[in-house]
Amino acid sequence: MPHRFLIIGAGFSGAVLANRLIKYFDCTIDIWDERNHIAGNCHTERDEKTNIMVHQYGPHIFNTDKKEIWDYVNSFGEFKNYIHQVKAVSGGKIYSLPVNLFTINQFFNKTFSPAEAKLFLETLADKTITDPQNFEEQALSFIGKGLYRAFFYGYTKKQWGCEPTELPASILKRIPVRFNYDDNYHTNTYTGIPKDGYTAIIGKMIEHERITVSLNKKFSPSDDVKNYTHIFYTGPLDAFFNYEYGRLGYRTVTFEKQYANGDYQGLAQMNYCDAEVPYTRIVEPKFFTPWEKYDKSIFIKEYSKETTPQDIPYYPKRLQNDKIILQQYRTRAASLQSVSFLGRLATYRYMDMHHVIGEAYNFAELFYHQFKNQQPLPVFPNTDTL
Ligand code: UDP
């Protein structure tokens, strides 16, 4: 008898799992997704009026240092070279991001060399903070108050809806300070954008006669799923347990899409760092596909807000209380039989695409080995919950 697997969620986690499990097992796989499309928040679609490829749930730039992950995603479709550049509006001026030598010289009206800028920043950094405990301390400990206030404080407050002192330091570790003029937003070895969009890549991953995708099909904890050998759940962890211990905090994003003639802002992403501007950033999708030419343009303003039960959860907040609730759900999850939890929503972590893909890929392999050897099956891919 072939095994029957159920995967909840057709984003990268679900798609990679399906793609790998079908290779290992004599099985059929059902994938359910509550939306009317696959690819989760990586979903891309061409705009009806302009034909510009739009990342429907915010910009996704593929980055990884791992050749095996790069080769794996490239086996499902062509990725084009793409260097992500971001500028910031702060106090009525435009600056280069991530904070680099150009930003420092612009901001302080100087002509520092790399060594001079480094020494200068050292004089500004708060040396009393030796072990940063939160986002603000992390920032102050290496760039000081001026740059922190200009580029991080307002943006972060809008993005996360709380004081940066309440957020983990790890969020800021994503944004380095550079003492050269490199303004490539990402520093990974491999970077690109799929020529035909992410939805095409994910579609290829799950294209198989023994994989069936059902859209507009929402999983409910009361669904009868006992005919499945195992369930892989990639939706929000708290929803799986009917919010029994309360809701995990997420920020959601709303998008305001408009049209323009020519170019609107001249690059893919402009961040608005001042707290008074209601949106966090404006994205101009045509710049994600420089190999395509358009006379018209689309620009999309992103607003961040607290997630209500009707909203799509985006960014896990992971405040102190969230971590307590998370631990309760994880303990419950570990006591279940035949269910595993994968991905950004089910593990409640701020993850990049390559991270999600690598984890799902490895999880499928681990699952197969444990299954074959009749060992306890893995429930979560990670143990780091703090
Ligand atoms: N951030 C900031 N100012 C910026 C850009 C980012 O303060 O101009 C902070 C903010 O807290 C944000 C985090 O750095 O949530 C990570 O930024 P990134 O651009 O990597 O976020 P994403 O594209 O995932 O939203």
Side-chain angles (χ1 to χ4, degrees):
M1 265 282 272
H3 296 292
R4 288 186 72 207
F5 293 126
L6 173 63
I7 297 176
I8 312 291
F12 261 125
S13 283
V16 171
L17 266 177
N19 177 263
R20 301 307 299 164
L21 291 173
I22 207 84
K23 288 195 164 56
Y24 291 130
F25 287 92
D26 174 18
C27 68
T28 59
I29 299 179
D30 289 340
I31 306 179
W32 298 355
D33 199 293
E34 63 182 293
R35 301 190 203 176
N36 63 359
H37 58 77
I38 60 164
N41 279 6
C42 300
H43 178 51
T44 45
E45 205 173 283
R46 288 196 182 272
D47 173 67
E48 275 180 16
K49 287 192 204 152
T50 60
N51 205 38
I52 293 169
M53 187 68 89
V54 179
H55 300 196
Q56 297 290 336
Y57 302 92
H60 285 78
I61 299 106
F62 199 89
N63 292 290
T64 181
D65 288 329
K66 297 196 170 139
K67 185 169 186 316
E68 62 276 19
I69 292 185
W70 182 241
D71 289 344
Y72 177 65
V73 292
N74 274 268
S75 71
F76 303 102
E78 186 185 348
F79 277 68
K80 300 281 260 183
N81 282 333
Y82 173 77
I83 304 287
H84 194 43
Q85 282 169 316
V86 178
K87 298 277 180 278
V89 178
S90 176
K93 288 189 180 162
I94 295 197
Y95 294 94
S96 175
L97 276 190
V99 174
N100 63 65
L101 191 48
F102 199 55
T103 327
I104 296 167
N105 278 329
Q106 272 180 304
F107 189 76
F108 295 105
N109 212 4
K110 299 283 186 197
T111 54
F112 286 139
S113 68
E116 288 165 345
K118 207 166 182 185
L119 277 179
F120 180 69
L121 273 209
E122 274 167 24
T123 67
L124 302 180
D126 186 339
K127 293 192 196 65
T128 60
I129 306 168
T130 46
D131 181 18
Q133 293 300 311
N134 58 55
F135 184 104
E136 180 162 300
E137 287 186 3
Q138 175 80 0
L140 294 177
S141 70
F142 70 105
I143 54 169
K145 205 166 177 178
L147 288 169
Y148 168 64
R149 282 268 156 189
F151 299 110
F152 297 101
Y153 179 73
Y155 188 99
T156 299
K157 237 184 129 163
K158 288 191 287 185
Q159 170 77 12
W160 295 94
C162 59
E163 283 298 321
T165 45
E166 295 175 69
L167 292 166
S170 58
I171 295 176
L172 188 63
K173 284 186 190 132
R174 293 161 60 89
I175 309 222
V177 172
R178 301 190 189 138
F179 296 101
N180 57 37
Y181 290 96
D182 179 5
D183 67 350
N184 179 351
Y185 202 66
H186 302 285
T187 51
N188 302 88
T189 316
Y190 305 98
T191 171
I193 297 255
K195 182 171 155 281
D196 298 317
Y198 290 98
T199 304
I201 297 286
I202 290 177
K204 266 273 179 253
M205 283 181 170
I206 55 182
E207 193 181 272
H208 196 286
E209 58 191 3
R210 287 185 280 117
I211 298 179
T212 309
V213 182
S214 304
L215 297 178
N216 302 307
K217 192 165 168 70
K218 192 174 164 66
F219 171 78
S220 151
S222 58
D223 284 342
D224 180 6
V225 288
K226 57 179 175 305
N227 287 335
Y228 289 102
T229 313
H230 198 85
I231 298 159
F232 299 88
Y233 179 82
T234 73
L237 185 61
D238 50 4
F240 188 89
F241 295 103
N242 240 333
Y243 309 101
E244 202 178 309
Y245 304 120
R247 284 180 184 268
L248 291 166
Y250 278 97
R251 294 294 279 178
T252 193
V253 185
T254 56
F255 302 96
E256 198 179 280
K257 178 174 160 189
Q258 286 166 273
Y259 290 88
N261 285 320
D263 293 351
Y264 174 72
Q265 61 184 13
L267 89 169
Q269 184 178 325
M270 185 74 81
N271 287 0
Y272 286 81
C273 298
D274 300 321
E276 303 74 59
V277 180
Y279 38 88
T280 51
R281 60 191 182 189
I282 300 182
V283 169
E284 191 169 0
K286 76 194 261 188
F287 288 99
F288 288 124
T289 55
W291 54 92
E292 297 179 2
K293 297 286 168 239
Y294 299 97
D295 295 335
K296 301 220 175 302
S297 195
I298 298 168
F299 60 99
I300 302 168
K301 288 182 178 162
E302 292 191 10
Y303 298 82
S304 173
K305 71 172 190 80
E306 212 55 24
T307 306
T308 70
Q310 289 73 41
D311 294 315
I312 296 172
Y314 279 73
Y315 294 94
K317 290 182 75 171
R318 301 179 66 85
L319 303 185
Q320 273 317 322
N321 193 44
D322 294 319
K323 291 184 197 166
I324 295 168
I325 299 177
L326 171 65
Q327 215 42 64
Q328 290 175 295
Y329 284 125
R330 282 186 67 107
T331 307
R332 268 297 294 287
S335 73
L336 297 177
Q337 311 254 301
S338 319
V339 190
S340 298
F341 297 82
L342 261 299
R344 183 178 56 97
L345 297 172
T347 63
Y348 193 57
R349 282 174 303 157
Y350 189 7
M351 297 170 83
D352 289 334
M353 287 180 286
H354 67 92
H355 191 186
V356 167
I357 292 167
E359 209 159 86
Y361 191 101
N362 292 336
F363 193 85
E365 188 177 328
L366 176 68
F367 180 86
Y368 172 63
H369 285 294
Q370 299 290 94
F371 194 95
K372 195 176 65 175
N373 298 323
Q374 296 182 354
Q375 301 283 316
L377 297 173
V379 178
F380 286 98
N382 66 315
T383 49
D384 53 316
T385 59
L386 298 176

